């Protein structure tokens, strides 16, 4: 079964960032299933529990959602201490074990959000090596659209991820008129097709959580200070 991890770094509820992430994942699932069966299928999503990895299975494809907003405090703690609390550890494991990643962030000050970048910073530097990745971003105006290329893509290149050519930026206007929505739909379909192709061509071997370095819990480390 193909597993796609979907990371959304939206800060509001409801979030246009999460909406774009859902649509990108649905497009990728539809492209994967079409490649397997030769029949176009409409992919659907459902509401999920916030803050924990949750999944949606559709035939041979599984989508695991990771929302970063409820993990903000744990991400900050991990940045300061180097240790991940259980919910954050489950989220990073869900990403590491996936076959592909959809990563969507709002754009602030010409770059991805601090929450999105910090989540990547607390992961192992080799965790995304060769991982097929589809990037998405949201912002108030189309003036932020190049942040996908000059701010987000270089980070994933540093992590040696296999980022697909088509990234999708959605400005506020893209959710408005019918014409703008049609253009956005086209970009989403192309991006989903790109990710499906990248998954089929991927040389990545899914990593098991047990294969990652074992981290001693913070309480045990503190306990050793008294000896």
């Amino acid at each position: 079964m193909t597993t796609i991890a979907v990371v959304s770094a939206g800060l509001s509820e409801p979030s246009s960032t999460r909406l774009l992430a859902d649509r990108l994942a649905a497009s990728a699932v539809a492209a994967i299933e079409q490649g397997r069966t030769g029949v176009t299928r409409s992919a659907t999503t459902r509401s999920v529990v916030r803050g924990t990895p949750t999944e949606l299975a559709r035939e041979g494809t599984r989508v695991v959602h990771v929302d970063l907003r409820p993990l903000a405090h744990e991400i900050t703690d991990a940045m300061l201490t180097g240790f991940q609390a259980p919910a954050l550890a489950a989220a990073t494991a869900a990403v590491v074990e996936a076959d592909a990643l959809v990563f969507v962030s709002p754009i602030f000050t010409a770059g991805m959000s601090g929450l999105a970048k910090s989540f990547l910073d607390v992961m192992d530097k080799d965790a995304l090596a060769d991982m097929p990745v589809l990037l998405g971003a949201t912002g108030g105006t189309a003036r932020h659209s190049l942040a996908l290329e000059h701010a987000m893509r270089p980070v994933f290149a540093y992590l040696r991820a296999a980022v697909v050519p088509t990234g999708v930026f959605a400005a506020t206007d893209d959710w408005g008129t019918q014409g703008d929505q049609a253009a956005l739909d086209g970009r989403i379909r192309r991006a989903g097709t790109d990710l499906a192709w990248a998954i089929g061509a991927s040389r990545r071997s899914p990593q098991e959580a047990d294969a990652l370095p074992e981290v001693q819990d913070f309480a045990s480390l503190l306990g050793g200070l008294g000896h």
Side-chain angles (χ1 to χ4, degrees), residues 20-33:
L20 179 60
D22 286 345
R23 293 186 61 184
L24 290 171
S27 177
V29 170
I32 292 169
E33 297 302 332

Side-chain angles (χ1 to χ4, degrees), residues 9 68 75 79 103 105 112-122 155:
L68 299 187
I75 292 172
M79 290 283 289
F103 192 94
S105 171
M112 74 174 83
S113 71
L115 180 61
K117 181 60 167 58
S118 296
F119 178 72
L120 296 174
D121 288 341
V122 301
V155 173

Side-chain angles (χ1 to χ4, degrees), residues 44-63:
T44 58
T45 59
R46 59 178 174 81
S47 299
V48 298
V49 178
R50 305 290 182 177
T52 56
T54 55
E55 60 186 58
L56 168 66
R58 182 178 179 83
E59 300 187 16
T61 308
R62 185 177 60 144
V63 177

Side-chain angles (χ1 to χ4, degrees), residues 67-132:
D67 284 319
L68 299 187
R69 183 176 183 269
L71 299 171
H73 289 292
E74 291 192 9
I75 292 172
T76 301
D77 290 342
M79 290 283 289
L80 296 174
T81 66
F83 299 96
Q84 297 185 13
L88 178 58
T92 55
V95 172
V96 169
E97 295 168 9
D99 299 294
L101 172 64
V102 174
F103 192 94
V104 185
S105 171
I107 299 299
F108 299 126
T109 321
M112 74 174 83
S113 71
L115 180 61
K117 181 60 167 58
S118 296
F119 178 72
L120 296 174
D121 288 341
V122 301
M123 296 182 66
D124 184 88
K125 64 181 179 61
D126 297 318
L128 300 182
D130 296 322
M131 170 84 79

Side-chain angles (χ1 to χ4, degrees), residues 4 9 14 22 31 47 118 178 188 216:
I4 300 174
D22 286 345
S47 299
S118 296
Q178 186 172 356
I188 289 173
Q216 189 173 6

Side-chain angles (χ1 to χ4, degrees), residues 98-185:
D99 299 294
L101 172 64
V102 174
F103 192 94
V104 185
S105 171
I107 299 299
F108 299 126
T109 321
M112 74 174 83
S113 71
L115 180 61
K117 181 60 167 58
S118 296
F119 178 72
L120 296 174
D121 288 341
V122 301
M123 296 182 66
D124 184 88
K125 64 181 179 61
D126 297 318
L128 300 182
D130 296 322
M131 170 84 79
V133 176
L134 168 56
L135 296 178
T138 58
T141 72
R143 289 178 296 175
H144 297 296
S145 60
L146 287 179
L148 268 173
E149 305 303 324
H150 72 69
M152 293 183 68
R153 192 178 293 269
V155 173
F156 285 86
Y158 174 82
L159 297 172
R160 294 182 289 117
V163 183
V164 302
T166 305
V168 178
F169 178 85
T172 301
D173 291 344
D174 289 319
W175 307 105
T177 66
Q178 186 172 356
D180 290 332
Q181 288 188 37
L184 177 61
D185 289 343

